[in-house]
Amino acid sequence: MDHRPERPAPMHRVRIPLPALLLALVVAVVPVAALAASGNQAAGTQTAGTQTSTSQGKVSKGISVTLSPSSRTVDQGQSASFTVAATSVGGFAGPVTFAVTGLPAGAAASASPSSVSLAAGSTAQVTLTVSTATTTPVAKTDFTVKAMSGTTVSNTAPGQLQVLEVKRTFGVTGTVLGPLAPGTTQPVDLKINNSNVRAIDVSNLSVSISQVVRTPAAVAANMPCTTADYKLTQYSGTYPLTVEPGSRSLSGMGVSQAKWPRITMLDTAQLQDGCKGATLRLTYSGTGQAN
């Protein structure tokens, strides 16, 4: 047995040609350079997009207007209130006035205050009062509100006004100034009871005989008396007849007695004893318009 230590096998150096080594280095470096170039190009595109977006998002100076509530209902001759809010947009600042278009005939609008001064980024409110006339048409009408400051004009805020016909009641009674006999005429002093808080313009008054109530003796004797035994003459005064709140009679309003309604008992050839002591029941009616 040989106890001598083993010698390591001699190393043999392998020579790599220089051109091949350079080629390997180039292959390793090119992808890194390409990646860096690709990253720079992407960053440049993203920055340009941000600048464009900023330019497109720029808001010009102006005024924005809103109306609240969008709709109101009102009786003819009455008023309705809205709130108009004007807001500064894009740093606008200056005095602002308001204009309303599209209201129905006989209606008018006013703002209180009539103008406001807006600071940049602020909002101001005004009360818009729309008043109607007794002749304003009964209908739903669309209108618009806008704000102005020099050449600067806001958006148009839409609104709607519904006008209703005024329907209120009043009472009519009457007093016959004396008894009736064949061939006589008695005036009827009408009394109008206006329970409303405002005056009314009465445009028509009428009287009719609803019933003739004979005495028991006339009924027992079968003696007739009917509406044919009487004649009615209606009120001939000037219309409209303005009646203030409360009870107002024709005499109290200074209407000439010659224009009052009148009842005449006709003098006929027929026996009219059945009408002696008879009671006439009268029905009164009238129409008008509230003020």
Side-chain angles (χ1 to χ4, degrees), residues 51-73:
Q51 291 173 349
T52 303
S53 176
T54 302
S55 174
Q56 291 176 348
K58 186 176 180 181
V59 179
S60 59
K61 294 182 179 180
I63 310 167
S64 176
V65 167
T66 59
L67 181 70
S68 178
S70 60
S71 177
R72 284 284 197 191
T73 300

Side-chain angles (χ1 to χ4, degrees), residues 131-148:
S131 59
T132 64
T134 56
T135 56
T136 299
V138 176
K140 286 183 179 181
T141 304
D142 295 324
F143 66 93
T144 58
V145 181
K146 62 183 177 182
M148 299 170 293

Side-chain angles (χ1 to χ4, degrees), residues 211-226:
Q211 186 179 9
V212 178
V213 182
R214 294 174 293 162
T215 63
V219 173
N222 198 25
M223 292 186 293
C225 183
T226 67

Side-chain angles (χ1 to χ4, degrees), residues 6-262:
E6 294 182 1
R7 292 184 179 182
M11 296 182 64
H12 299 280
R13 294 182 179 180
V14 179
R15 291 186 177 183
I16 301 174
L18 182 58
L21 178 61
L22 291 177
L23 179 60
L25 290 176
V26 171
V27 172
V29 172
V30 168
V32 176
L35 180 62
S38 175
N40 287 340
Q41 185 178 4
T45 303
Q46 184 176 3
T47 301
T50 301
Q51 291 173 349
T52 303
S53 176
T54 302
S55 174
Q56 291 176 348
K58 186 176 180 181
V59 179
S60 59
K61 294 182 179 180
I63 310 167
S64 176
V65 167
T66 59
L67 181 70
S68 178
S70 60
S71 177
R72 284 284 197 191
T73 300
V74 65
D75 288 342
Q76 288 174 309
Q78 302 299 308
S79 300
S81 295
F82 300 82
T83 298
V84 181
T87 301
S88 163
V89 177
F92 168 85
V96 175
T97 57
F98 302 88
V100 180
T101 57
L103 290 175
S110 62
S112 179
S114 59
S115 65
V116 294
S117 182
L118 283 182
S122 68
T123 297
Q125 293 184 344
V126 300
T127 299
L128 182 72
T129 301
V130 178
S131 59
T132 64
T134 56
T135 56
T136 299
V138 176
K140 286 183 179 181
T141 304
D142 295 324
F143 66 93
T144 58
V145 181
K146 62 183 177 182
M148 299 170 293
S149 180
T151 58
T152 302
V153 180
S154 73
N155 61 299
T156 55
Q160 187 180 78
L161 183 70
Q162 182 175 6
V163 180
L164 302 179
E165 182 181 3
V166 178
K167 293 183 178 180
R168 296 187 174 95
T169 60
F170 60 92
V172 182
T173 58
T175 302
V176 181
L177 295 191
L180 291 169
T184 63
T185 299
Q186 294 293 350
V188 181
D189 190 6
L190 297 181
K191 181 179 288 186
I192 301 169
N193 181 30
N194 177 13
S195 60
N196 303 290
V197 296
R198 301 190 180 196
I200 56 175
D201 285 340
V202 177
S203 56
N204 179 64
L205 290 168
S206 64
V207 183
S208 62
I209 301 174
S210 58
Q211 186 179 9
V212 178
V213 182
R214 294 174 293 162
T215 63
V219 173
N222 198 25
M223 292 186 293
C225 183
T226 67
T227 56
D229 291 291
Y230 303 90
K231 175 186 176 183
L232 277 171
T233 303
Q234 300 298 334
Y235 171 80
S236 60
T238 303
Y239 289 118
L241 181 64
T242 301
V243 182
E244 298 296 330
S247 294
R248 301 287 188 272
S249 63
L250 295 180
S251 57
M253 291 186 288
V255 177
S256 171
Q257 192 176 108
K259 297 180 179 181
W260 296 4
R262 297 185 300 278

